[in-house]
Amino acid sequence: MKPAPVRPRVRRAAPPVLALGFAVLACDDARAPAPGASPSASAPPAAESAAPAPSAAAAPAAPSAAKREMPPRPVPIGSSGPIQPSAPPEQQMMAIQYTLAMVSPQSTDPLVDKAYLDAIVPKLAAAVRTADKGKTPPNPAKATKGNRKIEVDMGKGCNERTPSNLLAQRAGSSLREAYDAGVLVVSCHDDLWECHQSTRDPSDVLCHAAPRR
């Protein structure tokens, strides 16, 4: 009888090579985009970062404005109302609560700068006398609410733009400067309306019916 042929011995080094091959494929798969994913899903937002935001000029007066928690607003931010006398009671209550919150200081708000108040209040009083469309009351500008609010009384012509216009165009100041001095709200009040302008956010203005007694 012929001896059985000797079978070649199988090298045991192959499995590590295969394992290495699967590892390489796995790495390639990890770098491949997920099935069904949009080609631009992982791309950096070049278009968004390249162009400046259209509303950059109307940025909040204070950086902390966006983080501040406020009660519900009777109308969306950017709309001043006004809240009419015939508005539902719950909407009128929301307006009261919101305007109180506007003037309530937070720990992140600046301290009151008395020197700024002493300078700006007479300027606003002179400004409203020239801008008023009615009979200006005596002492038309004053600091209230612990010097956190400047109220400007006028005979007629108070609207959502009046506080910021009086401050910037006629008194030589700005909402940002008022905020840095610790003033949180500048308001106008005529024979029909009161408009509250936040210094934290230029777009945050709320007007409501408030006939002067």
Side-chain angles (χ1 to χ4, degrees), residues 23-206:
V24 173
L25 290 175
C27 292
D28 290 340
D29 289 342
R31 290 193 295 267
S38 171
S40 61
S42 59
E48 294 181 5
S49 59
S55 58
S64 59
K67 302 177 183 178
R68 177 177 168 83
E69 293 186 2
M70 294 287 286
R73 210 173 187 275
V75 289
I77 193 78
S79 171
S80 61
I83 307 304
Q84 302 285 346
S86 58
E90 56 269 19
Q91 191 180 40
Q92 298 192 41
M93 183 59 64
M94 287 171 65
I96 293 172
Q97 293 174 346
Y98 192 86
T99 54
L100 288 175
M102 288 172 72
V103 79
S104 299
Q106 300 291 302
S107 59
T108 54
D109 292 325
L111 298 176
V112 173
D113 184 348
K114 193 65 167 55
Y116 174 83
L117 283 175
D118 291 342
I120 199 64
V121 168
K123 290 181 180 180
L124 286 173
V128 73
R129 289 189 180 100
T130 60
D132 201 342
K133 298 178 181 179
K135 183 178 179 180
T136 307
N139 304 316
K142 56 184 177 293
T144 64
K145 305 296 182 182
N147 293 331
R148 293 294 188 172
K149 180 181 181 182
I150 298 178
E151 296 180 358
V152 178
D153 290 332
M154 56 195 307
K156 193 178 295 291
C158 175
N159 59 49
E160 71 277 7
R161 296 180 299 276
T162 303
S164 59
N165 286 347
L166 287 175
L167 198 63
Q169 298 178 8
R170 296 178 180 269
S173 187
S174 65
L175 293 176
R176 178 73 209 206
E177 190 176 1
Y179 175 79
D180 289 341
V183 178
L184 304 179
V185 172
V186 179
S187 72
C188 65
H189 187 193
D190 65 7
D191 58 339
L192 294 176
W193 308 102
E194 184 172 10
C195 293
H196 307 257
Q197 167 69 69
S198 170
T199 61
R200 295 185 181 100
D201 183 355
S203 64
D204 190 1
V205 189
L206 188 61

